Amino acid sequence: MRRELPEHGLWVQVRAPGKLNLFLGVRGTRPDGYHELVTVFQAVSLYDQLRAGLIGPPGQGHHPAARRRMRVRLWHDSGDAIPGAEDNLAVRAARALGHAAGVMDLAYLDERAATMAQPDVDSAASPYTVLDLRKRIPIGGGMAGGSADAAATLVALNDLWRCQLTRLDLRRLGEQIGSDVPFCIAGGTALATGRGTSLAQVLCRGTFHWVVCEAGEPLSTAAVYGSWDRHCRPNEIEPDAVLQALRNSDAEALGAALHNDLEAAAFVLRPGLRDSKRLLLDHGALGAVLSGSGPTLLALAESEAVASGLADAVRHRFARVSVARSPVGGPELCPVLPAADELR
Ligand code: C5P
């Protein structure tokens, strides 16, 4: 899947889906400060696109010595909403993989003003890696957008840098980057425990249709867990009804079984979300639930056509509303398009 583009070096491309939590139970706090979870993850058809390129003199990107001099740069088209520096999960993933694979001297350059059409002037002397990230998953929305970018980065750079790590190796590496990263590498449907990183694949028949309702302002995951600490108690609700609905391809049963213990905690921080959820149910959603730590709300519909109608009916209430389906597979390498302006 690697593609040599004469003027821009060697490129790979990965698209990575966001995730839904069909069930999220918080069992309590752990000694490490995280929360013990039982959750059912499902990958959903909202994708971030990542292109990873090795910029340098023709042919030298293949040379191991050139790899040791790589640098990471990051492009995105979402303004300042994405963490720009060391906090960016894609950059952290690149560092973690570089460390695991013995790529030395990996420095991060934040060069937002640069463009693909005008690569770094000293690239001939010092090859480097470029991450070109196009965001579509809500930012700070509870759909693991940052974790999907980390997963995409691990998959892309594992190929570009020829590290030859397995998907299981990448999942283990992903745990250090964020609790949702291992699932974002796996995709599909999974039952997760612990921090959310211990995964077991779950049988899911059929396809489910969602209306994804984004709030304008992001919510911090840590703040929502903090609110849970102050206002909520552990409970023992089990995900059995969700798992059965998935096995039976039963959207109505799934709608009734959707559950998220973080909802109450997020509603304390954003009281308006409660009314928004009510609006989705009043417009005929089979079920509605906060996505992860929110503030994105998800409404389940019986078909794609019904989802589109519901999306139109509630659009006025949200910053952005879209229709998506689940489950979908995890991040995969896909063919790289050659057009230079496509890379911006
Ligand atoms: O693992 P990650 O960095 O994505 O988690 C972000 C924050 O969410 C953590 O700092 C923690 O406050 C909270 N969290 C938690 N328990 C989990 C997952 C996340 O408390 N199982």
Side-chain angles (χ1 to χ4, degrees):
M1 290 289 188
R2 297 180 203 104
R3 180 164 184 154
E4 188 99 46
L5 303 179
E7 71 279 42
H8 293 304
L10 193 67
W11 290 87
V12 296
Q13 179 164 328
V14 171
R15 69 172 196 169
K19 61 86 185 160
L20 316 169
N21 299 83
L22 304 174
F23 178 95
L24 196 160
V26 183
R27 299 299 193 232
T29 43
R30 296 158 44 107
D32 62 7
Y34 282 81
H35 292 74
E36 188 70 21
L37 304 181
V38 175
T39 185
V40 179
F41 282 123
Q42 189 154 73
V44 64
S45 65
L46 286 185
Y47 297 95
D48 282 357
Q49 298 274 354
L50 177 83
R51 287 179 211 201
L54 197 53
I55 306 285
Q60 285 206 13
H62 303 263
H63 195 276
R67 292 197 310 163
R68 281 197 292 276
R69 294 195 305 268
M70 275 193 284
R71 300 181 292 171
V72 175
R73 305 200 312 180
L74 186 69
W75 274 269
H76 56 75
D77 55 10
S78 303
D80 292 332
I82 295 179
E86 301 297 319
D87 297 341
N88 190 292
L89 293 192
V91 174
R92 283 180 48 196
R95 279 193 186 290
L97 184 68
H99 187 69
V103 177
M104 307 305 287
D105 301 330
L106 195 62
Y108 171 59
L109 305 176
D110 190 9
E111 298 188 26
R112 291 165 198 225
T115 68
M116 287 292 167
Q118 295 171 310
D120 198 319
V121 282
D122 72 347
S123 64
S126 174
Y128 58 91
T129 299
V130 174
L131 300 183
D132 169 21
L133 187 57
R134 282 200 273 174
K135 296 290 299 174
R136 175 62 191 89
I137 304 168
I139 295 164
M143 296 187 74
S147 301
D149 299 343
T153 302
L154 292 176
V155 170
L157 295 186
N158 187 41
D159 187 77
L160 190 69
W161 293 353
R162 304 184 187 205
C163 303
Q164 298 188 318
L165 299 188
T166 64
R167 284 286 168 122
L168 198 59
D169 294 333
L170 296 182
R171 270 166 55 175
R172 291 206 184 101
L173 207 54
E175 270 180 43
Q176 304 163 22
I177 300 163
S179 305
D180 292 338
V181 179
F183 175 72
C184 287
I185 292 168
T189 310
L191 177 65
T193 52
R195 258 173 69 206
T197 56
S198 302
L199 303 178
Q201 214 180 328
V202 159
L203 175 62
C204 175
R205 292 193 177 90
T207 296
F208 297 96
H209 300 279
W210 301 92
V211 183
V212 179
C213 305
E214 299 175 42
E217 285 288 303
L219 253 181
S220 142
T221 303
V224 174
Y225 276 101
S227 171
W228 186 90
D229 289 338
R230 288 191 300 280
H231 301 288
C232 305
R233 292 279 164 274
N235 72 61
E236 296 301 323
I237 301 175
E238 297 290 353
D240 301 18
V242 165
L243 299 176
Q244 192 174 352
L246 295 176
R247 270 199 308 277
N248 295 342
S249 188
D250 186 338
E252 208 173 316
L254 181 61
L258 293 170
H259 175 82
N260 184 350
D261 278 340
L262 292 179
E263 232 177 46
F267 288 178
V268 172
L269 300 176
R270 293 278 174 83
L273 286 172
R274 193 183 295 278
D275 294 336
S276 299
K277 177 176 171 178
R278 169 64 33 216
L279 180 82
L280 295 171
L281 294 170
D282 289 347
H283 278 81
L286 297 175
V289 72
L290 187 79
S291 180
S293 58
T296 304
L297 284 166
L298 306 165
L300 183 62
E302 59 212 63
S303 68
E304 191 176 353
V306 172
S308 293
L310 177 56
D312 288 340
V314 301
R315 205 173 296 282
H316 65 278
R317 171 94 195 186
F318 299 95
R320 181 155 67 162
V321 175
S322 43
V323 168
R325 73 192 142 74
S326 69
V328 296
E332 293 296 343
L333 291 159
C334 44
V336 183
L337 300 172
D341 42 344
E342 264 284 290
L343 298 170
R344 303 233 9 230

